[in-house]
Amino acid sequence: MPRNTLVREVMTKVPDVLTFTPETKIEDAARSLADRKLGGAPVVDAGGRVVGLLEDDDLIVQETRLHAPTVITVLGAYIRLGRQHELEEELRKAVGATVGQVMDADPDICGEDDTLERVATLLHDKHLSRLPVVAGDGTLVGIVSRGDLVRALLLP
């Protein structure tokens, strides 16, 4: 397939896209992803607009150890090594009970008229597995994954 092929030609279209709402329970989201053998899914609001992306990494962090910053004492003063923001982010995800608490609230997206070349570059450069595909108003219309691109390359 040519590099200028449009995303709309290879994406999985709504309603066949698994989605979550920010209020979806983590356990339910994990079960849905596992049942469909997916590594992530868009998070949408009541109007169908993309408000986030839930990836399996967001769920895995709940089962990992927190990486607390190292603290050393110098002349009676405590000096913290590491970033407070990173610890706060890990804590937030570790105690999250809903998708909205652990999702990426600012995911990369693409449009259905973007080319496969642009999407492949974005996926590669940002080490992403999938991109929500949105209409001009931010409404989810599909999802495109690395697998979709590989399948498109195999088509004559």
Side-chain angles (χ1 to χ4, degrees):
M1 226 173 216
R3 294 169 10 171
N4 61 351
T5 300
L6 301 180
V7 168
R8 72 173 69 241
E9 296 179 41
V10 301
M11 70 183 190
T12 301
K13 297 176 180 155
V14 170
D16 296 329
V17 178
L18 174 65
T19 61
F20 301 114
T21 65
E23 297 78 28
T24 303
K25 300 283 186 206
I26 291 296
E27 185 176 336
D28 295 336
R31 186 170 287 111
S32 294
L33 288 171
D35 288 347
R36 293 190 52 184
K37 296 177 175 59
L38 296 173
V43 182
V44 296
D45 65 13
R49 288 176 298 281
V50 174
V51 296
L53 183 66
L54 180 70
E55 298 274 3
D56 46 14
D57 282 350
D58 299 322
L59 302 173
I60 292 170
V61 75
Q62 300 227 111
E63 300 301 324
T64 63
R65 288 185 176 184
L66 295 177
H67 297 63
T70 303
V71 177
I72 61 173
T73 305
V74 177
L75 301 174
Y78 292 101
I79 300 174
R80 184 179 41 79
L81 305 175
R83 294 183 169 167
Q84 182 68 24
H85 172 72
E86 290 171 0
L87 176 61
E88 289 171 359
E89 181 73 11
E90 287 186 43
L91 283 171
R92 180 183 65 79
K93 288 186 174 188
V95 300
T98 65
V99 167
Q101 292 171 309
V102 300
M103 70 182 186
D104 174 0
D106 188 26
D108 288 289
I109 58 172
C110 67
E112 54 192 333
D113 291 328
D114 283 332
T115 64
L116 294 189
E117 180 178 32
R118 179 188 179 280
V119 168
T121 300
L122 185 59
L123 291 172
H124 177 267
D125 290 352
K126 294 203 171 188
H127 306 286
L128 303 172
S129 298
R130 65 198 47 82
L131 288 172
V133 183
V134 299
D137 64 356
T139 303
L140 182 71
V141 294
I143 191 161
V144 63
S145 69
R146 286 178 177 255
D148 294 327
L149 297 182
V150 170
R151 280 186 292 282
L153 290 172
L154 295 174
L155 295 175

Coordinates of all heavy atoms in Angstrom, one line a residue, residues 12-89:
T12 N -9.5 0.5 12.5 CA -10.6 -0.1 13.0 C -11.6 1.0 13.3 O -11.3 1.9 14.0 CB -10.3 -0.9 14.3 OG1 -9.3 -1.9 13.9 CG2 -11.5 -1.6 14.8
K13 N -12.8 0.8 12.8 CA -13.8 1.9 12.9 C -14.8 1.7 14.0 O -15.1 0.5 14.4 CB -14.6 2.0 11.6 CG -13.7 2.4 10.4 CD -14.5 2.4 9.1 CE -13.5 2.8 8.0 NZ -13.8 2.3 6.7
V14 N -15.3 2.8 14.6 CA -16.4 2.8 15.6 C -17.6 2.2 14.8 O -17.8 2.5 13.7 CB -16.6 4.2 16.1 CG1 -17.9 4.2 16.9 CG2 -15.5 4.7 16.9
P15 N -18.3 1.2 15.3 CA -18.4 0.8 16.7 C -17.6 -0.4 17.1 O -17.7 -0.9 18.2 CB -19.9 0.4 16.8 CG -20.2 -0.2 15.5 CD -19.4 0.6 14.5
D16 N -16.7 -0.8 16.2 CA -15.8 -2.0 16.5 C -14.7 -1.7 17.5 O -13.9 -2.6 17.7 CB -15.3 -2.6 15.2 CG -16.5 -3.2 14.4 OD1 -17.5 -3.6 15.0 OD2 -16.4 -3.1 13.2
V17 N -14.5 -0.5 17.9 CA -13.4 -0.1 18.8 C -13.9 -0.2 20.3 O -14.9 0.3 20.6 CB -13.0 1.4 18.5 CG1 -11.9 1.8 19.4 CG2 -12.6 1.6 17.1
L18 N -13.1 -0.9 21.0 CA -13.3 -1.0 22.5 C -13.0 0.4 23.1 O -11.9 1.0 22.8 CB -12.4 -2.0 23.1 CG -12.4 -2.1 24.6 CD1 -13.8 -2.6 25.1 CD2 -11.3 -3.0 25.2
T19 N -13.9 0.9 23.9 CA -13.7 2.2 24.5 C -14.1 2.1 26.0 O -14.8 1.2 26.4 CB -14.5 3.3 23.9 OG1 -15.9 3.0 24.1 CG2 -14.2 3.5 22.4
F20 N -13.5 3.0 26.8 CA -13.9 3.1 28.2 C -14.3 4.6 28.4 O -14.0 5.5 27.7 CB -12.7 2.8 29.1 CG -12.1 1.4 28.8 CD1 -10.9 1.3 28.3 CD2 -12.9 0.3 29.2 CE1 -10.3 0.0 28.1 CE2 -12.4 -1.0 29.0 CZ -11.1 -1.1 28.4
T21 N -15.0 4.7 29.6 CA -15.3 6.1 30.1 C -14.3 6.3 31.2 O -13.8 5.4 31.8 CB -16.7 6.2 30.6 OG1 -16.9 5.4 31.7 CG2 -17.7 5.9 29.4
P22 N -14.1 7.6 31.6 CA -13.3 7.8 32.8 C -13.8 7.1 34.1 O -13.0 6.8 34.9 CB -13.3 9.3 32.9 CG -13.6 9.8 31.6 CD -14.6 8.8 31.0
E23 N -15.1 6.8 34.1 CA -15.6 6.2 35.3 C -15.5 4.7 35.4 O -15.8 4.1 36.4 CB -17.1 6.6 35.5 CG -17.3 8.1 35.7 CD -17.2 8.9 34.3 OE1 -17.5 8.3 33.3 OE2 -16.9 10.1 34.4
T24 N -15.1 4.1 34.3 CA -14.9 2.6 34.2 C -14.0 2.2 35.3 O -12.9 2.7 35.5 CB -14.4 2.2 32.8 OG1 -15.3 2.7 31.8 CG2 -14.3 0.7 32.7
K25 N -14.4 1.1 36.0 CA -13.5 0.6 37.1 C -12.3 -0.1 36.4 O -12.4 -0.7 35.4 CB -14.3 -0.5 37.9 CG -15.5 0.1 38.6 CD -15.1 0.8 39.8 CE -16.3 1.3 40.6 NZ -16.1 2.4 41.3
I26 N -11.1 0.0 37.1 CA -9.9 -0.5 36.6 C -10.0 -2.0 36.3 O -9.6 -2.5 35.3 CB -8.7 -0.2 37.6 CG1 -8.4 1.2 37.6 CG2 -7.5 -1.1 37.2 CD1 -7.9 1.8 36.3
E27 N -10.6 -2.7 37.2 CA -10.7 -4.2 37.1 C -11.6 -4.5 35.9 O -11.2 -5.5 35.1 CB -11.4 -4.8 38.3 CG -11.5 -6.3 38.3 CD -12.1 -6.8 39.6 OE1 -12.0 -6.2 40.7 OE2 -12.6 -8.0 39.5
D28 N -12.6 -3.8 35.6 CA -13.4 -4.1 34.4 C -12.7 -3.7 33.1 O -12.8 -4.5 32.1 CB -14.7 -3.2 34.4 CG -15.6 -3.6 35.6 OD1 -15.5 -4.7 36.1 OD2 -16.4 -2.7 36.0
A29 N -11.9 -2.7 33.1 CA -11.1 -2.3 32.0 C -10.0 -3.4 31.7 O -9.9 -3.8 30.5 CB -10.5 -0.9 32.2
A30 N -9.4 -3.8 32.7 CA -8.3 -4.8 32.6 C -8.9 -6.1 32.0 O -8.4 -6.7 31.1 CB -7.6 -5.1 33.9
R31 N -10.1 -6.5 32.5 CA -10.7 -7.7 32.0 C -11.1 -7.6 30.5 O -10.9 -8.5 29.7 CB -12.0 -8.0 32.9 CG -12.6 -9.3 32.5 CD -13.7 -9.8 33.5 NE -13.1 -10.2 34.8 CZ -13.2 -9.5 35.9 NH1 -13.9 -8.4 36.0 NH2 -12.6 -9.9 37.0
S32 N -11.7 -6.4 30.2 CA -12.1 -6.2 28.8 C -10.9 -6.2 27.8 O -10.9 -6.8 26.7 CB -12.8 -4.8 28.6 OG -14.0 -4.8 29.3
L33 N -9.8 -5.6 28.2 CA -8.6 -5.6 27.4 C -8.0 -7.0 27.3 O -7.7 -7.5 26.2 CB -7.5 -4.7 28.0 CG -7.7 -3.2 27.9 CD1 -6.7 -2.5 28.8 CD2 -7.7 -2.7 26.5
A34 N -8.0 -7.8 28.4 CA -7.5 -9.2 28.3 C -8.4 -10.0 27.5 O -7.9 -10.8 26.6 CB -7.4 -9.7 29.7
D35 N -9.7 -9.9 27.6 CA -10.7 -10.7 26.8 C -10.5 -10.5 25.3 O -10.7 -11.4 24.5 CB -12.1 -10.4 27.2 CG -12.5 -10.9 28.6 OD1 -11.7 -11.7 29.2 OD2 -13.6 -10.5 29.1
R36 N -10.2 -9.2 24.9 CA -10.1 -8.9 23.5 C -8.6 -9.0 23.0 O -8.3 -8.6 21.9 CB -10.7 -7.6 23.2 CG -12.2 -7.7 23.4 CD -13.1 -6.6 23.0 NE -12.9 -6.1 21.6 CZ -13.5 -5.1 21.1 NH1 -14.4 -4.4 21.9 NH2 -13.3 -4.7 19.9
K37 N -7.7 -9.3 24.0 CA -6.3 -9.4 23.6 C -5.8 -8.1 23.1 O -5.1 -8.0 22.1 CB -6.0 -10.6 22.7 CG -6.3 -11.9 23.3 CD -6.1 -13.0 22.3 CE -6.3 -14.4 22.8 NZ -7.5 -14.7 23.4
L38 N -6.1 -7.0 23.8 CA -5.7 -5.6 23.4 C -4.8 -5.1 24.4 O -4.8 -5.4 25.6 CB -6.9 -4.7 23.2 CG -7.9 -5.1 22.1 CD1 -9.1 -4.2 22.2 CD2 -7.2 -5.0 20.7
G39 N -3.9 -4.2 24.0 CA -3.0 -3.5 24.9 C -3.4 -2.1 25.3 O -2.7 -1.4 26.1
G40 N -4.5 -1.6 24.8 CA -5.0 -0.3 25.2 C -6.3 0.0 24.4 O -6.7 -0.7 23.5
A41 N -6.9 1.1 24.9 CA -8.2 1.5 24.3 C -8.4 3.0 24.6 O -8.0 3.5 25.6 CB -9.3 0.7 24.7
P42 N -9.1 3.7 23.7 CA -9.4 5.1 23.9 C -10.4 5.3 25.1 O -11.2 4.4 25.3 CB -10.1 5.6 22.6 CG -9.8 4.5 21.6 CD -9.5 3.3 22.4
V43 N -10.4 6.4 25.7 CA -11.3 6.8 26.8 C -12.1 8.0 26.2 O -11.5 8.9 25.7 CB -10.6 7.2 28.1 CG1 -11.6 7.5 29.2 CG2 -9.6 6.0 28.5
V44 N -13.4 7.8 26.3 CA -14.3 8.8 25.7 C -15.3 9.4 26.7 O -15.7 8.7 27.7 CB -15.1 8.3 24.4 CG1 -14.1 7.9 23.3 CG2 -15.9 7.1 24.8
D45 N -15.7 10.6 26.5 CA -16.8 11.2 27.3 C -18.2 10.8 26.8 O -18.3 10.1 25.8 CB -16.6 12.7 27.5 CG -16.8 13.5 26.2 OD1 -17.3 12.9 25.2 OD2 -16.4 14.7 26.1
A46 N -19.2 11.3 27.4 CA -20.6 11.0 27.0 C -20.9 11.4 25.6 O -21.7 10.7 24.9 CB -21.6 11.6 28.0
G47 N -20.2 12.3 25.0 CA -20.4 12.8 23.7 C -19.5 12.0 22.7 O -19.6 12.4 21.5
G48 N -18.8 11.1 23.1 CA -17.9 10.3 22.2 C -16.6 11.0 21.9 O -15.8 10.5 21.0
R49 N -16.3 12.1 22.6 CA -15.0 12.7 22.3 C -13.9 12.1 23.1 O -14.1 11.7 24.3 CB -15.1 14.2 22.7 CG -15.9 15.0 21.7 CD -16.1 16.5 22.2 NE -16.8 16.6 23.4 CZ -18.2 16.5 23.5 NH1 -18.9 16.3 22.5 NH2 -18.7 16.6 24.7
V50 N -12.7 12.0 22.5 CA -11.6 11.3 23.2 C -11.1 12.2 24.3 O -10.8 13.4 24.1 CB -10.4 11.1 22.2 CG1 -9.2 10.5 22.9 CG2 -10.9 10.1 21.1
V51 N -11.0 11.7 25.5 CA -10.5 12.4 26.7 C -9.3 11.7 27.3 O -8.7 12.2 28.2 CB -11.6 12.5 27.8 CG1 -12.7 13.4 27.3 CG2 -12.1 11.2 28.3
G52 N -8.9 10.6 26.7 CA -7.7 9.9 27.2 C -7.4 8.6 26.5 O -8.2 8.2 25.5
L53 N -6.4 7.9 26.9 CA -6.0 6.6 26.3 C -5.6 5.8 27.5 O -4.7 6.2 28.2 CB -4.9 6.8 25.3 CG -4.5 5.5 24.6 CD1 -5.6 5.0 23.7 CD2 -3.3 5.8 23.7
L54 N -6.1 4.6 27.6 CA -5.7 3.6 28.6 C -4.8 2.6 28.0 O -5.2 2.0 27.0 CB -6.9 3.0 29.3 CG -6.6 2.0 30.4 CD1 -6.1 2.7 31.6 CD2 -7.8 1.1 30.7
E55 N -3.6 2.5 28.5 CA -2.7 1.5 28.0 C -2.4 0.4 29.1 O -2.6 0.7 30.3 CB -1.3 2.1 27.6 CG -1.4 3.2 26.5 CD -1.3 2.6 25.1 OE1 -1.2 1.3 25.0 OE2 -1.3 3.3 24.2
D56 N -2.0 -0.7 28.7 CA -1.7 -1.8 29.7 C -0.7 -1.3 30.7 O -0.7 -1.7 31.8 CB -1.4 -3.1 29.0 CG -0.4 -3.0 27.9 OD1 0.3 -2.0 27.8 OD2 -0.2 -4.0 27.2
D57 N 0.3 -0.5 30.3 CA 1.2 0.1 31.2 C 0.6 0.8 32.4 O 1.1 0.8 33.5 CB 2.2 1.0 30.5 CG 3.3 0.3 29.7 OD1 3.4 -1.0 29.9 OD2 4.0 0.9 29.0
D58 N -0.5 1.5 32.1 CA -1.2 2.2 33.1 C -1.8 1.3 34.2 O -1.9 1.6 35.3 CB -2.4 3.0 32.5 CG -1.9 4.0 31.5 OD1 -0.9 4.7 31.8 OD2 -2.6 4.2 30.5
L59 N -2.1 0.0 33.8 CA -2.6 -1.0 34.7 C -1.5 -1.7 35.4 O -1.6 -2.0 36.6 CB -3.5 -2.0 33.9 CG -4.7 -1.4 33.1 CD1 -5.3 -2.4 32.3 CD2 -5.7 -0.7 34.1
I60 N -0.4 -1.9 34.7 CA 0.7 -2.6 35.3 C 1.3 -1.9 36.4 O 1.8 -2.4 37.4 CB 1.8 -3.0 34.2 CG1 1.2 -4.0 33.3 CG2 3.0 -3.5 34.8 CD1 2.0 -4.2 32.0
V61 N 1.4 -0.5 36.4 CA 2.0 0.3 37.4 C 1.3 0.0 38.8 O 1.9 0.2 39.8 CB 2.0 1.8 37.0 CG1 0.6 2.4 37.2 CG2 3.0 2.5 37.9
Q62 N 0.1 -0.4 38.8 CA -0.6 -0.7 40.0 C 0.0 -1.9 40.7 O -0.2 -2.0 41.9 CB -2.1 -1.0 39.7 CG -2.8 0.1 39.1 CD -4.1 0.4 39.7 OE1 -4.2 1.5 40.3 NE2 -5.0 -0.5 39.7
E63 N 0.7 -2.7 40.0 CA 1.3 -3.9 40.6 C 2.8 -3.8 40.9 O 3.4 -4.8 41.3 CB 1.0 -5.1 39.7 CG -0.5 -5.4 39.5 CD -1.2 -5.6 40.8 OE1 -0.7 -6.3 41.7 OE2 -2.4 -5.2 40.9
T64 N 3.3 -2.6 40.6 CA 4.8 -2.5 40.8 C 5.1 -1.7 42.0 O 4.2 -1.1 42.6 CB 5.4 -1.7 39.6 OG1 4.8 -0.4 39.5 CG2 5.1 -2.4 38.3
R65 N 6.3 -1.8 42.4 CA 6.8 -1.0 43.6 C 6.9 0.5 43.2 O 7.3 0.8 42.1 CB 8.2 -1.5 44.0 CG 8.2 -2.8 44.7 CD 9.6 -3.1 45.1 NE 9.6 -4.3 45.9 CZ 10.6 -4.8 46.5 NH1 11.8 -4.1 46.4 NH2 10.6 -5.9 47.1
L66 N 6.6 1.3 44.2 CA 6.8 2.7 43.9 C 8.2 3.0 44.0 O 9.0 2.4 44.8 CB 6.0 3.5 45.0 CG 4.5 3.4 44.9 CD1 3.9 4.2 46.1 CD2 4.0 3.9 43.6
H67 N 8.7 4.0 43.2 CA 10.1 4.4 43.2 C 10.2 5.7 44.0 O 10.2 6.7 43.5 CB 10.6 4.5 41.8 CG 10.5 3.3 41.0 ND1 9.4 2.6 40.7 CD2 11.5 2.5 40.5 CE1 9.6 1.5 40.0 NE2 10.9 1.5 39.9
A68 N 10.3 5.5 45.3 CA 10.5 6.7 46.2 C 11.8 7.4 46.0 O 12.8 6.7 45.7 CB 10.3 6.3 47.7
P69 N 11.8 8.7 46.0 CA 13.1 9.4 45.8 C 14.1 9.0 46.9 O 13.7 8.8 48.1 CB 12.7 10.8 45.9 CG 11.3 10.9 46.3 CD 10.7 9.6 46.3
T70 N 15.4 9.0 46.6 CA 16.4 8.7 47.6 C 16.6 10.0 48.4 O 16.7 11.1 47.8 CB 17.7 8.3 46.8 OG1 17.4 7.2 46.0 CG2 18.8 8.0 47.8
V71 N 16.8 9.8 49.7 CA 17.1 10.9 50.5 C 18.4 10.7 51.2 O 18.7 9.6 51.7 CB 15.9 11.1 51.6 CG1 16.2 12.2 52.5 CG2 14.6 11.3 50.9
I72 N 19.2 11.7 51.2 CA 20.5 11.6 52.0 C 20.6 12.8 53.0 O 19.8 13.8 52.9 CB 21.7 11.7 51.0 CG1 21.7 13.0 50.2 CG2 21.7 10.5 50.1 CD1 23.0 13.3 49.4
T73 N 21.4 12.6 54.0 CA 21.5 13.6 55.1 C 22.9 14.2 54.9 O 23.9 13.4 54.9 CB 21.4 13.0 56.5 OG1 20.1 12.3 56.5 CG2 21.4 14.0 57.5
V74 N 23.0 15.5 54.8 CA 24.3 16.2 54.8 C 24.2 17.3 55.8 O 23.4 18.2 55.8 CB 24.5 16.7 53.4 CG1 25.8 17.5 53.4 CG2 24.5 15.7 52.3
L75 N 25.1 17.2 56.8 CA 25.2 18.2 57.9 C 23.9 18.4 58.5 O 23.5 19.6 58.8 CB 25.8 19.5 57.3 CG 27.2 19.4 56.7 CD1 27.6 20.7 56.1 CD2 28.2 18.9 57.8
G76 N 23.1 17.4 58.7 CA 21.8 17.5 59.4 C 20.7 17.9 58.5 O 19.5 18.0 59.0
A77 N 20.9 18.2 57.3 CA 19.9 18.6 56.3 C 19.5 17.4 55.4 O 20.4 16.6 55.1 CB 20.3 19.8 55.5
Y78 N 18.3 17.3 55.1 CA 17.8 16.2 54.2 C 17.8 16.7 52.8 O 17.2 17.8 52.5 CB 16.4 15.7 54.6 CG 16.4 15.0 55.9 CD1 15.9 15.7 57.1 CD2 16.8 13.7 56.0 CE1 15.9 15.0 58.3 CE2 16.8 13.0 57.2 CZ 16.3 13.7 58.4 OH 16.3 13.0 59.6
I79 N 18.4 16.0 51.9 CA 18.4 16.3 50.5 C 17.8 15.2 49.7 O 18.2 14.0 49.9 CB 19.8 16.5 50.0 CG1 20.5 17.7 50.8 CG2 19.8 16.8 48.5 CD1 22.0 17.9 50.4
R80 N 16.7 15.5 49.0 CA 16.0 14.5 48.2 C 16.6 14.4 46.8 O 16.7 15.5 46.2 CB 14.5 14.9 48.2 CG 13.7 13.8 47.5 CD 12.2 14.1 47.4 NE 11.9 15.5 47.1 CZ 11.9 16.1 45.9 NH1 12.2 15.4 44.9 NH2 11.6 17.3 45.8
L81 N 16.9 13.2 46.4 CA 17.4 13.0 45.1 C 16.3 12.4 44.3 O 15.6 11.4 44.7 CB 18.6 12.1 45.1 CG 19.8 12.5 46.0 CD1 20.8 11.4 46.0 CD2 20.3 13.8 45.5
G82 N 16.0 12.9 43.1 CA 14.9 12.4 42.3 C 13.8 13.5 42.2 O 13.9 14.6 42.7
R83 N 12.8 13.1 41.4 CA 11.8 14.1 41.1 C 10.5 13.9 41.9 O 9.9 12.8 41.8 CB 11.5 14.1 39.6 CG 12.6 14.5 38.8 CD 12.2 14.5 37.4 NE 13.2 15.2 36.5 CZ 13.2 15.1 35.2 NH1 12.3 14.4 34.6 NH2 14.2 15.7 34.6
Q84 N 10.0 14.9 42.5 CA 8.7 14.8 43.3 C 7.6 14.5 42.3 O 6.7 13.7 42.7 CB 8.5 16.1 44.0 CG 7.2 16.1 44.9 CD 7.3 15.1 46.1 OE1 8.4 14.8 46.5 NE2 6.2 14.7 46.5
H85 N 7.6 15.1 41.1 CA 6.5 14.9 40.2 C 6.4 13.4 39.8 O 5.3 12.9 39.7 CB 6.7 15.7 38.9 CG 5.8 15.4 37.8 ND1 4.5 15.8 37.9 CD2 5.9 14.8 36.7 CE1 3.8 15.4 36.8 NE2 4.7 14.8 36.0
E86 N 7.5 12.7 39.6 CA 7.4 11.3 39.2 C 6.8 10.5 40.3 O 6.0 9.6 40.1 CB 8.8 10.8 38.9 CG 9.3 11.4 37.6 CD 10.8 11.0 37.3 OE1 11.4 10.4 38.2 OE2 11.3 11.5 36.3
L87 N 7.2 10.7 41.6 CA 6.6 10.0 42.7 C 5.1 10.3 42.8 O 4.3 9.3 43.0 CB 7.3 10.4 44.0 CG 6.7 9.7 45.3 CD1 6.8 8.2 45.2 CD2 7.4 10.3 46.5
E88 N 4.7 11.5 42.7 CA 3.3 11.9 42.7 C 2.5 11.2 41.6 O 1.4 10.7 41.9 CB 3.1 13.4 42.6 CG 3.6 14.1 43.9 CD 3.6 15.6 43.7 OE1 3.3 16.1 42.6 OE2 4.0 16.3 44.7
E89 N 3.1 11.1 40.4 CA 2.4 10.4 39.3 C 2.3 8.9 39.6 O 1.2 8.3 39.4 CB 3.2 10.6 38.0 CG 2.6 9.9 36.8 CD 1.4 10.6 36.3 OE1 1.1 11.8 36.8 OE2 0.7 10.1 35.5

